[in-house]
Amino acid sequence: MKDVIYVALGGAVGSVLRYWVGIITFRLFGPFLPWGTFSVNLIGSFCIGLFAEMIARKFDASADLRVLLITGLLGGFTTFSAFMLDTVSLAERGDLLWPAFYVAASIGFGVGAVFAGLAVGRWLF
């Protein structure tokens, strides 16, 4: 039951953060591309690497902290299902260049962000 509470608390915070990022990026960049989803996927990719290193090195691989931060917080924050819907919505506009760019950039930069998060985590912890 404790794990469920950790996931719920982390997920609530992650969802609110995702909402705020969506609002901020919409105001900054407008509606043409789904910048909020793109941003949270990159930030989440970086943070999962950072948190994985932090939990392993500083918190003795704490299962509780992993459930709270990775499953809960990042599970509520990242938006893979929204990413898929945004990709299909872009494709339905009829121009396949933008959805292809969006998928390639999200995956490429997302993998890079995980590596960066791991590197920063190893440096910090």
Side-chain angles (χ1 to χ4, degrees):
M1 188 58 158
K2 174 181 65 169
D3 287 350
V4 172
I5 292 169
Y6 287 154
V7 170
L9 291 173
V13 171
S15 296
V16 170
L17 291 173
R18 179 180 69 217
Y19 174 72
W20 285 344
V21 169
I23 289 172
I24 291 165
T25 57
F26 184 84
R27 289 180 181 164
L28 288 174
F29 305 113
F32 182 69
L33 289 176
W35 293 112
T37 303
F38 182 73
S39 298
V40 297
N41 284 336
L42 294 182
I43 294 166
S45 294
F46 176 84
C47 287
I48 203 166
L50 179 65
F51 291 171
E53 284 298 317
M54 178 186 73
I55 292 165
R57 294 177 185 260
K58 287 292 184 186
F59 295 97
D60 199 28
S62 166
D64 291 343
L65 200 54
R66 184 172 185 82
V67 168
L68 175 70
L69 294 179
I70 292 178
T71 305
L73 180 73
L74 293 178
F77 182 68
T78 58
T79 54
F80 191 74
S81 58
F83 166 63
M84 292 295 106
L85 180 61
D86 289 340
T87 301
V88 170
S89 296
L90 288 169
E92 287 180 339
R93 294 182 188 174
D95 179 5
L96 296 182
L97 179 64
W98 284 112
F101 166 78
Y102 183 63
V103 168
S106 294
I107 293 170
F109 286 117
V111 168
V114 171
F115 278 118
L118 287 168
V120 170
R122 289 174 183 149
W123 179 73
L124 287 174
F125 309 114

